[in-house]
Amino acid sequence: GAVVSQHPSRVICKSGTSVKIECRSLDFQATTMFWYRQFPKQSLMLMATSNEGSKATYEQGVEKDKFLINHASLTLSTLTVTSAHPEDSSFYICSAPTRVLTNEKLFFGSGTQLSVL
Amino acid sequence: KNQVEQSPQSLIILEGKNCTLQCNYTVSPFSNLRWYKQDTGRGPVSLTIMTFSENTKSNGRYTATLDADTKQSSLHITASQLSDSASYICVVSGQAGTALIFGKGTTLSVSS
């Protein structure tokens, strides 16, 4: 079945540095990918929708200059947390639908645990 | 306001027992409802997806039901195993092109 690969699975960085997270669709093309953030024991919160070849759409309250999204190809989207601070520490997850209009099949990456010291 | 409410928030059961998780939603118009299993520190994995016309769908020991009239769904787990310990998330999709609405999940702990 369709697989979404997300890397790295865990990253620890110093405050002020930038961290890039990759999300790849391995056996299907994804013109759209979604990025979520999840705090412990909380639901997934949609941060932004990544669109191949165009600008990402950010949810209200998410700083686009803080969370840079690039969707350069039909199989790769990246999320860069710029100038990370301890409050950015969280679990970040990407997902990709195989059919955009109905979101019929939605596959998630394995997540990235970011810890900012 | 579109919402998805799950209950209970957490549940502890003995290995081998059955359990049922609930999901109530107010999303309208409704397109489909999905149940996901999320292990700690991992991404969600799809269990079932049901559209408006489907009342039940099974995936091994997992059986989901849907009542679109009352806007309720349940996930029944039969003969639970230790590996079933996880968070179970109910996700509802509105009309095409709209964002998915996530429930907060039910944390299930299966003990021996």
Side-chain angles (χ1 to χ4, degrees), chain B residues 18-76:
Chain B
N18 304 334
C19 67
T20 300
L21 314 180
Q22 299 292 338
C23 173
N24 296 337
Y25 62 93
T26 59
V27 178
S28 182
F30 168 83
S31 177
N32 57 65
L33 184 146
R34 316 156 192 251
W35 283 94
Y36 285 88
K37 176 186 179 186
Q38 184 179 20
D39 291 314
T40 301
R42 305 289 294 176
V45 174
S46 179
L47 295 176
T48 63
I49 177 171
M50 290 181 291
T51 60
F52 182 88
S53 60
E54 296 176 291
N55 300 121
T56 185
K57 183 163 284 189
S58 292
N59 178 359
R61 294 180 296 103
Y62 301 102
T63 298
T65 65
L66 172 65
D67 186 333
D69 292 330
T70 62
K71 298 187 178 180
Q72 297 179 325
S73 175
S74 65
L75 180 68
H76 186 74

Side-chain angles (χ1 to χ4, degrees), chain A residues 36 38 41-44 46 91 93 101-106 108-111, chain B residues 32 34 36 38 41-44 49 89 93 96-100 102-104:
Chain A
Y36 306 84
Q38 186 178 33
K41 302 192 179 190
Q42 296 295 314
S43 179
L44 278 73
L46 180 65
F91 192 59
I93 309 174
L101 290 180
T102 65
N103 287 343
E104 187 66 30
K105 295 185 184 296
L106 185 64
F108 287 85
S110 55
Chain B
N32 57 65
R34 316 156 192 251
Y36 285 88
Q38 184 179 20
R42 305 289 294 176
I49 177 171
I89 305 171
S93 176
T98 60
L100 300 176
F102 286 78
K104 292 185 177 181

